[in-house]
Amino acid sequence: MKTERKKSADTRHSLLAAASEIFAEKGYRDATIAAICEKAGANIAAVNYHFGDKQNLYVETWRHCFTESIKAHPPDGGVAENAPAKTRLQGQVTALLQRIADEKNYEFIIVQKERANPTGLLHEVMRRDLRPLQKRMDSVVRDLLGPQVKDDQVFYCVLSIISQCIDPMAVQRGVQSRPGSKEGPPAIADIAAFARHVVAFSLAGMQAIRAAAENNPDTADFSSKA
Protein backbone atom coordinates (compact mmCIF):
# COMPACT_ATOMS: atom_id res chain seq x y z
CA MET A 1 0.00 0.00 0.00
CA LYS A 2 2.83 2.40 0.91
CA THR A 3 4.56 1.63 -2.39
CA GLU A 4 1.37 2.35 -4.30
CA ARG A 5 0.91 5.68 -2.53
CA LYS A 6 4.49 6.66 -3.33
CA LYS A 7 4.03 5.65 -6.96
CA SER A 8 0.86 7.74 -7.15
CA ALA A 9 2.61 10.75 -5.58
CA ASP A 10 5.54 10.37 -7.98
CA THR A 11 3.17 10.28 -10.96
CA ARG A 12 1.42 13.42 -9.76
CA HIS A 13 4.74 15.21 -9.32
CA SER A 14 5.92 14.09 -12.77
CA LEU A 15 2.73 15.44 -14.33
CA LEU A 16 3.14 18.79 -12.57
CA ALA A 17 6.81 19.04 -13.61
CA ALA A 18 5.96 18.25 -17.23
CA ALA A 19 2.96 20.57 -17.25
CA SER A 20 5.12 23.39 -15.82
CA GLU A 21 7.43 23.29 -18.82
CA ILE A 22 4.72 22.82 -21.43
CA PHE A 23 2.31 25.46 -20.11
CA ALA A 24 5.26 27.87 -19.83
CA GLU A 25 6.30 27.14 -23.42
CA LYS A 26 2.91 26.87 -25.09
CA GLY A 27 0.43 28.67 -22.88
CA TYR A 28 -2.83 27.10 -21.77
CA ARG A 29 -4.62 26.92 -25.10
CA ASP A 30 -1.79 25.42 -27.16
CA ALA A 31 -0.64 22.95 -24.50
CA THR A 32 -2.11 19.48 -24.82
CA ILE A 33 -2.73 16.80 -22.24
CA ALA A 34 -1.17 14.28 -24.63
CA ALA A 35 2.11 16.24 -24.77
CA ILE A 36 2.17 16.63 -20.98
CA CYS A 37 1.55 12.92 -20.44
CA GLU A 38 4.21 11.96 -22.96
CA LYS A 39 6.77 14.17 -21.23
CA ALA A 40 5.76 12.88 -17.81
CA GLY A 41 5.75 9.23 -18.87
CA ALA A 42 2.13 8.92 -17.71
CA ASN A 43 -1.20 8.17 -19.33
CA ILE A 44 -4.22 10.42 -19.73
CA ALA A 45 -6.10 8.46 -17.08
CA ALA A 46 -3.51 9.68 -14.56
CA VAL A 47 -4.40 13.31 -15.34
CA ASN A 48 -8.08 12.54 -14.85
CA TYR A 49 -7.34 10.75 -11.58
CA HIS A 50 -5.09 13.41 -10.05
CA PHE A 51 -6.51 16.62 -11.50
CA GLY A 52 -9.87 15.93 -13.11
CA ASP A 53 -9.34 17.99 -16.24
CA LYS A 54 -6.96 20.32 -18.08
CA GLN A 55 -8.28 23.45 -16.36
CA ASN A 56 -7.59 22.12 -12.89
CA LEU A 57 -4.20 20.81 -13.99
CA TYR A 58 -3.37 24.32 -15.20
CA VAL A 59 -4.33 25.89 -11.88
CA GLU A 60 -2.49 23.26 -9.83
CA THR A 61 0.56 23.59 -12.07
CA TRP A 62 0.78 27.32 -11.43
CA ARG A 63 0.36 26.76 -7.70
CA HIS A 64 3.08 24.09 -7.79
CA CYS A 65 5.45 26.44 -9.65
CA PHE A 66 4.67 29.28 -7.25
CA THR A 67 5.32 27.09 -4.20
CA GLU A 68 8.63 25.85 -5.61
CA SER A 69 9.66 29.41 -6.47
CA ILE A 70 8.89 30.63 -2.95
CA LYS A 71 10.90 27.76 -1.49
CA ALA A 72 13.88 28.67 -3.66
CA HIS A 73 13.59 32.41 -2.99
CA PRO A 74 11.91 33.12 0.38
CA PRO A 75 9.95 36.40 0.14
CA ASP A 76 11.76 38.03 3.06
CA GLY A 77 15.11 37.63 1.31
CA GLY A 78 16.56 36.19 4.50
CA VAL A 79 15.95 39.41 6.44
CA ALA A 80 14.57 39.19 9.98
CA GLU A 81 11.08 40.55 10.68
CA ASN A 82 12.45 42.92 13.33
CA ALA A 83 15.03 44.45 10.97
CA PRO A 84 14.67 48.13 9.98
CA ALA A 85 12.02 48.79 7.33
CA LYS A 86 14.62 49.79 4.72
CA THR A 87 16.46 46.51 5.22
CA ARG A 88 13.23 44.50 5.00
CA LEU A 89 12.30 46.29 1.79
CA GLN A 90 15.73 45.50 0.34
CA GLY A 91 15.25 41.83 1.20
CA GLN A 92 11.79 41.67 -0.36
CA VAL A 93 12.80 43.44 -3.57
CA THR A 94 15.90 41.29 -3.98
CA ALA A 95 13.90 38.10 -3.41
CA LEU A 96 11.25 39.17 -5.94
CA LEU A 97 13.85 39.97 -8.59
CA GLN A 98 15.67 36.70 -7.95
CA ARG A 99 12.41 34.79 -8.38
CA ILE A 100 11.67 36.48 -11.67
CA ALA A 101 15.22 36.08 -12.97
CA ASP A 102 15.36 32.37 -12.09
CA GLU A 103 15.13 30.45 -15.37
CA LYS A 104 13.49 27.57 -13.51
CA ASN A 105 10.69 29.84 -12.32
CA TYR A 106 7.90 28.71 -14.63
CA GLU A 107 5.36 30.51 -12.44
CA PHE A 108 6.42 33.87 -13.87
CA ILE A 109 6.48 32.65 -17.48
CA ILE A 110 3.02 31.10 -17.17
CA VAL A 111 1.69 34.39 -15.82
CA GLN A 112 3.18 36.29 -18.77
CA LYS A 113 1.55 33.82 -21.17
CA GLU A 114 -1.72 34.34 -19.29
CA ARG A 115 -1.42 38.11 -19.58
CA ALA A 116 -0.84 37.83 -23.33
CA ASN A 117 -3.69 35.38 -23.89
CA PRO A 118 -5.98 35.44 -20.84
CA THR A 119 -8.07 32.47 -19.78
CA GLY A 120 -9.21 33.86 -16.42
CA LEU A 121 -8.45 30.48 -14.86
CA LEU A 122 -5.59 31.74 -12.68
CA HIS A 123 -7.25 34.91 -11.39
CA GLU A 124 -8.57 33.54 -8.10
CA VAL A 125 -5.61 31.33 -7.20
CA MET A 126 -3.16 34.14 -7.96
CA ARG A 127 -5.14 36.61 -5.89
CA ARG A 128 -5.22 34.20 -2.95
CA ASP A 129 -1.58 33.08 -3.13
CA LEU A 130 0.02 36.42 -3.98
CA ARG A 131 -1.96 38.50 -1.49
CA PRO A 132 0.19 37.49 1.54
CA LEU A 133 3.29 38.69 -0.30
CA GLN A 134 1.65 42.03 -1.05
CA LYS A 135 0.56 42.37 2.59
CA ARG A 136 4.16 41.83 3.63
CA MET A 137 5.26 44.70 1.41
CA ASP A 138 2.25 46.80 2.48
CA SER A 139 3.51 46.57 6.05
CA VAL A 140 7.04 47.67 5.18
CA VAL A 141 5.85 50.54 3.00
CA ARG A 142 3.45 51.71 5.70
CA ASP A 143 6.35 51.79 8.18
CA LEU A 144 8.39 53.86 5.73
CA LEU A 145 5.60 56.29 4.88
CA GLY A 146 4.37 56.85 8.41
CA PRO A 147 0.86 57.07 9.85
CA GLN A 148 -0.08 60.37 8.18
CA VAL A 149 -0.08 58.95 4.67
CA LYS A 150 -3.37 57.60 3.38
CA ASP A 151 -3.93 53.94 2.55
CA ASP A 152 -4.30 54.58 -1.17
CA GLN A 153 -0.81 56.07 -1.23
CA VAL A 154 0.56 52.95 0.43
CA PHE A 155 -1.10 50.92 -2.31
CA TYR A 156 0.31 53.16 -5.05
CA CYS A 157 3.83 52.89 -3.64
CA VAL A 158 3.63 49.10 -3.37
CA LEU A 159 2.33 48.94 -6.94
CA SER A 160 5.18 51.16 -8.12
CA ILE A 161 7.84 49.05 -6.41
CA ILE A 162 6.46 45.79 -7.77
CA SER A 163 6.15 47.26 -11.26
CA GLN A 164 9.78 48.37 -11.22
CA CYS A 165 10.72 44.75 -10.58
CA ILE A 166 8.32 42.94 -12.89
CA ASP A 167 8.14 45.09 -16.02
CA PRO A 168 11.84 45.29 -17.02
CA MET A 169 12.39 41.64 -16.15
CA ALA A 170 9.36 40.61 -18.21
CA VAL A 171 10.77 42.48 -21.19
CA GLN A 172 14.20 40.95 -20.65
CA ARG A 173 12.89 37.39 -20.37
CA GLY A 174 10.68 37.94 -23.40
CA VAL A 175 13.70 38.97 -25.47
CA GLN A 176 15.76 36.06 -24.13
CA SER A 177 13.05 33.62 -25.20
CA ARG A 178 13.48 34.65 -28.84
CA PRO A 179 16.72 33.06 -30.12
CA GLY A 180 19.04 35.48 -31.87
CA SER A 181 16.96 38.52 -30.93
CA LYS A 182 18.89 41.74 -30.30
CA GLU A 183 15.82 43.82 -29.55
CA GLY A 184 14.95 45.40 -26.25
CA PRO A 185 16.95 47.12 -23.51
CA PRO A 186 20.32 45.92 -22.20
CA ALA A 187 20.11 42.88 -19.97
CA ILE A 188 20.06 43.34 -16.20
CA ALA A 189 23.11 41.27 -15.40
CA ASP A 190 23.54 42.26 -11.74
CA ILE A 191 20.29 41.53 -9.90
CA ALA A 192 21.66 42.70 -6.56
CA ALA A 193 22.70 46.06 -8.02
CA PHE A 194 19.34 46.53 -9.71
CA ALA A 195 17.57 45.65 -6.44
CA ARG A 196 19.58 48.34 -4.65
CA HIS A 197 18.61 50.83 -7.35
CA VAL A 198 14.90 50.00 -7.08
CA VAL A 199 15.02 50.40 -3.31
CA ALA A 200 17.01 53.66 -3.40
CA PHE A 201 14.71 55.11 -6.07
CA SER A 202 11.60 54.03 -4.18
CA LEU A 203 12.85 55.31 -0.84
CA ALA A 204 13.48 58.75 -2.32
CA GLY A 205 9.92 58.89 -3.61
CA MET A 206 8.44 57.66 -0.35
CA GLN A 207 10.48 60.14 1.65
CA ALA A 208 8.99 62.94 -0.45
CA ILE A 209 5.47 61.60 0.10
CA ARG A 210 6.06 61.25 3.83
CA ALA A 211 7.46 64.76 4.11
CA ALA A 212 4.47 66.21 2.25
CA ALA A 213 2.06 64.38 4.55
CA GLU A 214 3.87 65.43 7.72
CA ASN A 215 4.11 69.07 6.61
CA ASN A 216 0.46 69.26 5.64
CA PRO A 217 -1.56 66.42 7.21
CA ASP A 218 -4.87 67.77 5.87
CA THR A 219 -3.73 67.17 2.29
CA ALA A 220 -1.76 63.96 2.75
CA ASP A 221 -2.84 62.61 -0.63
CA PHE A 222 0.38 63.44 -2.49
CA SER A 223 -1.03 62.27 -5.83
CA SER A 224 -3.48 65.18 -5.90
CA LYS A 225 -0.73 67.77 -6.15
CA ALA A 226 0.00 69.21 -9.60
Side-chain angles (χ1 to χ4, degrees):
M1 181 65 71
K2 189 173 182 179
T3 301
E4 287 300 317
R5 284 199 297 267
K6 184 179 185 304
K7 183 178 179 181
S8 178
D10 288 346
T11 298
R12 187 179 191 277
H13 185 272
S14 294
L15 285 167
L16 287 171
S20 300
E21 294 187 37
I22 290 177
F23 281 132
E25 179 185 356
K26 302 287 188 181
Y28 175 76
R29 291 184 173 84
D30 291 337
T32 66
I33 294 296
I36 291 170
C37 288
E38 181 180 359
K39 189 173 188 66
N43 55 45
I44 292 176
V47 173
N48 295 333
Y49 175 78
H50 288 287
F51 304 102
D53 55 25
K54 181 182 176 182
Q55 291 185 10
N56 195 50
L57 173 59
Y58 184 56
V59 172
E60 291 302 316
T61 296
W62 184 85
R63 178 178 283 133
H64 167 76
C65 293
F66 176 75
T67 300
E68 292 300 307
S69 179
I70 291 297
K71 286 180 183 177
H73 307 287
D76 60 12
V79 176
E81 290 186 8
N82 61 352
K86 292 180 182 180
T87 306
R88 284 182 283 141
L89 180 62
Q90 185 70 58
Q92 291 182 28
V93 167
T94 302
L96 175 57
L97 285 167
Q98 288 174 338
R99 277 175 53 213
I100 298 172
D102 188 345
E103 293 182 359
K104 295 180 181 179
N105 179 8
Y106 296 117
E107 162 225 347
F108 181 73
I109 304 173
I110 290 172
V111 169
Q112 297 310 304
K113 292 282 187 182
E114 181 72 16
R115 290 176 64 183
N117 195 3
T119 67
L121 296 173
L122 297 182
H123 178 75
E124 181 58 28
V125 68
M126 286 176 60
R127 184 192 67 79
R128 185 169 61 248
D129 289 355
L130 291 173
R131 183 56 184 151
L133 302 186
Q134 185 176 333
K135 283 185 176 181
R136 186 188 294 266
M137 189 170 286
D138 287 348
S139 177
V140 173
V141 169
R142 166 55 71 190
D143 287 349
L144 290 165
L145 288 174
Q148 298 283 3
V149 174
K150 295 180 180 180
D151 288 343
D152 61 349
Q153 285 298 301
V154 174
F155 170 71
Y156 296 155
C157 288
V158 170
L159 186 63
S160 174
I161 294 167
I162 293 174
S163 296
Q164 288 179 75
C165 297
I166 291 177
D167 291 348
M169 296 302 294
V171 171
Q172 178 169 311
R173 292 195 66 168
V175 171
Q176 289 173 343
S177 68
R178 298 192 294 273
S181 177
K182 297 182 180 180
E183 300 175 1
I188 300 171
D190 190 336
I191 294 298
F194 184 58
R196 290 192 296 272
H197 164 78
V198 170
V199 170
F201 190 84
S202 300
L203 286 174
M206 287 189 286
Q207 286 167 0
I209 293 171
R210 178 168 184 153
E214 290 175 344
N215 290 335
N216 195 353
D218 293 334
T219 56
D221 186 356
F222 189 80
S223 66
S224 66
K225 303 297 181 292

